[in-house]
Amino acid sequence: MKKGFVALGLSIGLLGSSFSSPGFAKADDVDFNKSKKYGTPNFVSGKLADGTKANAKKTLMNYLNEKKSMYGFAGSAEQAFKVTSKEVDHLGFTVIRLHQQYKGIPIYGSTQTAVVSENGVLTAISGAVVPELDKKQGLKKGKSLSGDKALKIAVRDLGFTPKYELTPTSKEVIYINDGQATHAYHVTLNFLSPKPGNWSYIVDAQSGEVLNKVNELHSAKGGKGGKPGTNPPSTGEVTTGTGTGVLGDTKSFNTLLSSGSYYLVDPTRGQGIETYDASNRTRLPGSIWTDSDNSLNEAYDAAAVDAHYYAGVTYDYYFDVFNRNSYDDNGAKLISTVHYGRDYNNAFWTGAQMVYGDGDGSTFTSFSGALDVIAHELTHAVTDSTADLIYQNESGALNESMSDVFGTLVEWHADNDPDWLVGEDIYTPGVEGDALRSMADPTINDNPDHYSKRYTGTGDNGGVHINSGIINKAAYLLSEGGTHYGVTVDGVGKQAMGDIFYRALTTYYTASTNFSQAKAATVQAATDLYGASSTQVQSVNDAFSAVGVE
Ligand code: L5W
Ligand code: ZN
């Protein structure tokens, strides 16, 4: 046993699992959260093991090997977990991301993160681990289907042959559902035509049955622009364009002057910001936006002006506040396309770029006209690059909530007519004061503000835009304070609320983080930032308790 790890031999009872874990002992300086589903720890924090910063991976693997019976994996930790990344964050913590494997095959959604402090102490492991895979009946059978066949099955299930934007993939995984483990294929289908989709299918590798499917396209529930075929120039002079946005406001932004034309290309942020015109068609990215005189004041220009300008504002927020260089923290180009389709009442992140419809003019106006909408979409990209929260059920609602939280915080940070509403600037242009969602009071839009009121149906990917209200309300309370269902929360302010959720999202949330795990992860984020006995940690605990999440 590592120095400083005091085992008290206090065995914790297991809920809803036949798995027995003799090693599940609670040390006095270690906190365990246990998965109700699996009986394994899904969040462990404290002084877990000593080591050195240089040996962070070794410290983690040694710990996991020592606690093997508690986690219930077979073989060595090095075989049971693949290290997918290792980075040092701004606090000097080494963050290691893991993906659980069985005989070299990844377990769908079973990712973990581990944190090693500056002085080499393993301080946290986040993310449930599926135990006893070697005993699962379902894995005794091999696979009889090829990946290609699984792909065909998924396409047949779609009901049409799409025109792909990204090459479809079919990868072997172990799929866990209701305690059963199955050899399966994870098939991805990304397309725009006949209608946009970014589908993840799970196909049984034996029977060919579709075990799960989810459209991960992040969208709601449910002078003339570029010439066709034009690409952005690779060189030119950075100039300042001016233009009128969707709501009639005037703004300045960077453009690129090349061969006598001004392009909506801003090469000064990361690898650049580029804005395209779909010309009311559905091909992406469309044509790079050009202008003859650097003044974009025509009605048709407005959607492009805002998409370009607000992408810059969002980039600046993440860079200035979190030192994050674009959504991948590696300067990834921010590509936006406006005038997508005709009267298209939606906006979405395809997995590679942002897309904005013009709206039908009554339910919605041009989607790029709202800063919180653009920041919402880009936050989906941040989430996909970090926690990669599965867009279904509680992890999906957490994904949606993070987009609403940072969409709103960008609006406050930029002082862009800020409020706790989502999408108010583009929703029902003829109606004053309404919005798509309210973080302060999700019930205005019939969304839950307490876990006891959560939606448990299958619509909306299991309520991703509905149950987001529960976490949105917790985030609002954490920032602003208040008493909710009898629980009083002391507000920590917007800056601290953002810092805490940003750290939780990028360091501790994993693909399958549910609301309860999110609470433990968010408490840990606040602990890292402010200390275990800080008022901020107390407020995080209170905010989640106020919405019924324990
Ligand atoms: C657009 C702004 C937010 C997309 N996406 C959404 O998941 C949005 C609704 C309209 O919730
Ligand atoms: Zn969304």
Side-chain angles (χ1 to χ4, degrees), residues 418-493:
D419 50 44
W420 291 92
L421 302 171
V422 175
E424 68 287 352
D425 292 332
I426 48 125
Y427 185 57
T428 55
V431 182
E432 209 24 63
D434 62 349
L436 274 173
R437 295 185 278 278
S438 164
M439 295 183 64
D441 184 4
T443 65
I444 291 174
N445 298 85
D446 295 327
N447 295 323
D449 64 355
H450 193 273
Y451 196 62
S452 63
K453 302 189 171 172
R454 71 192 178 278
Y455 170 74
T456 55
T458 56
D460 183 34
N461 282 354
V464 297
H465 295 90
I466 302 169
N467 293 332
S468 54
I470 297 165
I471 304 297
N472 281 354
K473 179 76 191 193
Y476 168 81
L477 288 167
L478 176 60
S479 174
E480 304 302 292
T483 300
H484 189 56
Y485 291 98
V487 179
T488 299
V489 185
D490 285 336
V492 300

Side-chain angles (χ1 to χ4, degrees), residues 252-499:
S252 306
F253 39 84
N254 289 335
T255 53
L256 196 66
L257 172 60
S258 180
S259 307
S261 283
Y262 295 90
Y263 290 81
L264 282 187
V265 171
D266 172 3
T268 69
R269 291 171 164 100
Q271 287 160 36
I273 295 178
E274 297 175 355
T275 303
Y276 290 74
D277 184 10
S279 309
N280 298 119
R281 300 167 66 93
T282 53
R283 300 254 317 253
L284 290 181
S287 306
I288 188 70
W289 198 285
T290 59
D291 190 81
S292 57
D293 62 1
N294 225 8
S295 300
L296 286 82
N297 294 316
E298 304 282 334
Y300 191 78
D301 297 337
V305 164
D306 277 345
H308 197 65
Y309 179 79
Y310 288 144
V313 172
T314 306
Y315 176 93
D316 289 351
Y317 170 81
Y318 275 106
F319 190 79
D320 296 348
V321 178
F322 304 119
N323 198 29
R324 186 177 192 89
N325 183 9
S326 190
Y327 58 86
D328 65 348
D329 201 14
N330 199 25
K333 206 177 265 184
L334 297 183
I335 297 174
S336 312
T337 297
V338 296
H339 298 306
Y340 178 82
R342 223 167 261 289
D343 294 341
Y344 186 67
N345 264 339
N346 222 330
F348 57 92
W349 169 253
T350 62
Q353 70 154 98
M354 291 167 290
V355 181
Y356 303 101
D358 292 332
D360 60 9
S362 59
T363 310
F364 288 103
T365 184
S366 302
F367 279 72
S368 60
L371 175 56
D372 60 3
V373 168
I374 288 183
H376 176 108
E377 296 307 326
L378 266 173
T379 301
H380 278 311
V382 172
T383 299
D384 288 355
S385 301
T386 54
D388 201 18
L389 288 157
I390 292 173
Y391 202 55
Q392 193 176 32
N393 303 330
E394 286 189 24
S395 58
L398 192 58
N399 187 325
E400 262 309 309
S401 173
M402 291 303 97
S403 277
D404 282 351
V405 164
F406 290 104
T408 293
L409 287 176
V410 173
E411 200 175 85
W412 281 100
H413 188 75
D415 197 16
N416 186 273
D417 206 2
D419 50 44
W420 291 92
L421 302 171
V422 175
E424 68 287 352
D425 292 332
I426 48 125
Y427 185 57
T428 55
V431 182
E432 209 24 63
D434 62 349
L436 274 173
R437 295 185 278 278
S438 164
M439 295 183 64
D441 184 4
T443 65
I444 291 174
N445 298 85
D446 295 327
N447 295 323
D449 64 355
H450 193 273
Y451 196 62
S452 63
K453 302 189 171 172
R454 71 192 178 278
Y455 170 74
T456 55
T458 56
D460 183 34
N461 282 354
V464 297
H465 295 90
I466 302 169
N467 293 332
S468 54
I470 297 165
I471 304 297
N472 281 354
K473 179 76 191 193
Y476 168 81
L477 288 167
L478 176 60
S479 174
E480 304 302 292
T483 300
H484 189 56
Y485 291 98
V487 179
T488 299
V489 185
D490 285 336
V492 300
K494 295 170 189 74
Q495 171 81 46
M497 185 273 269
D499 288 350

Side-chain angles (χ1 to χ4, degrees), residues 61-107:
M61 289 302 170
N62 284 348
Y63 175 84
L64 288 170
N65 277 319
E66 225 174 78
K67 301 289 166 195
K68 182 175 159 161
S69 58
M70 180 170 83
Y71 282 100
F73 57 83
S76 69
E78 288 81 354
Q79 292 165 326
F81 300 96
K82 181 177 172 189
V83 173
T84 55
S85 71
K86 178 175 161 247
E87 277 163 21
V88 178
D89 68 16
H90 73 284
L91 296 179
F93 287 92
T94 304
V95 181
I96 301 170
R97 289 184 182 276
L98 304 172
H99 196 155
Q100 191 187 357
Q101 315 273 310
Y102 176 73
K103 295 187 177 168
I105 306 168
I107 316 303

Side-chain angles (χ1 to χ4, degrees), residues 138 141-145 182-185 203-209:
K141 302 180 242 163
K143 56 181 192 340
S144 54
L145 249 58
T182 314
H183 275 294
Y185 288 99
V203 178
D204 191 319
Q206 266 280 324
S207 67
E209 188 190 343

